[in-house]
Amino acid sequence: MKGASLIAPFGLRMPEELKEKIAERAKNNGRSMNAEIVQILQDAVDGRINPLADDDEIEKIYIEVISRDPSKMSMEDFDANNAKLDWLIDAFMQRISEDTERFQSAIRFKSQTKELIARQIHQLVLQKADYPSLSKTPENSKKK
């Protein structure tokens, strides 16, 4: 970490189980525990903790499922955790489907807006240039 020598040490007390989880997470991410804690705090301050934070039920189950160590579960707990994981996958897929529809709608709206603006600009250009409209061309005038 840049400038680490300029940062005063900060004592932090935490439950041993949490410390072990942070140590494992730090190891998996190739960071020291200190760097991992700083990253977790930075993500929290920046609002990047959990993309599901707006859905309390999904967030609660998500945290519950990912915080459990499968190697320490009974077979019954393992099956229950897997059922919750299946529910989460379904919830994620539903959200992806809904978000996809929203994105497609936004893309269609953007395209329609661009076309409308292009037509309006074209009309303004024709008006400014004082071009005759199609109804005022010599061929159309003779027909009347």
Side-chain angles (χ1 to χ4, degrees):
M1 180 183 343
K2 284 185 184 177
S5 62
L6 303 176
I7 300 172
F10 175 77
L12 177 67
R13 291 185 296 275
M14 71 179 79
E16 188 62 33
E17 185 179 320
L18 178 59
K19 183 178 177 183
E20 289 169 5
K21 288 178 182 179
I22 292 173
E24 183 66 27
R25 181 176 164 158
K27 180 181 173 187
N28 291 339
N29 291 326
R31 293 192 271 255
S32 68
M33 275 188 62
N34 187 81
E36 189 67 27
I37 291 169
V38 168
Q39 185 63 55
I40 291 167
L41 292 172
Q42 188 65 58
D43 288 347
V45 168
D46 293 346
R48 295 186 309 236
I49 283 267
N50 185 352
L52 306 170
D54 62 330
D55 190 320
D56 293 340
E57 183 179 14
I58 291 177
E59 181 180 29
K60 178 182 158 235
I61 293 173
Y62 174 78
I63 291 169
E64 181 183 331
V65 167
I66 65 165
S67 65
R68 301 200 61 197
D69 182 353
S71 67
K72 296 179 181 174
M73 291 183 205
S74 68
M75 195 53 145
E76 187 176 282
D77 289 341
F78 185 82
D79 289 341
N81 206 55
N82 275 344
K84 289 178 182 176
L85 190 55
D86 288 340
W87 182 88
L88 275 174
I89 290 168
D90 289 342
F92 289 152
M93 294 305 293
Q94 179 65 35
R95 180 169 277 189
I96 289 168
S97 176
E98 291 168 359
D99 287 347
T100 299
E101 288 175 25
R102 285 188 199 108
F103 288 136
Q104 288 172 341
S105 176
I107 290 168
R108 280 190 302 275
F109 179 77
K110 182 178 180 183
S111 176
Q112 291 167 352
T113 303
K114 286 171 79 174
E115 289 171 12
L116 177 64
I117 291 171
R119 282 195 303 269
Q120 289 174 343
I121 290 171
H122 180 71
Q123 288 297 322
L124 288 172
V125 168
L126 289 176
Q127 288 172 1
K128 293 274 184 197
D130 200 30
Y131 287 118
S133 68
L134 291 176
S135 62
K136 295 181 181 177
T137 59
E139 297 86 27
N140 289 339
S141 297
K142 292 176 186 174
K143 291 179 184 176
K144 291 183 180 180

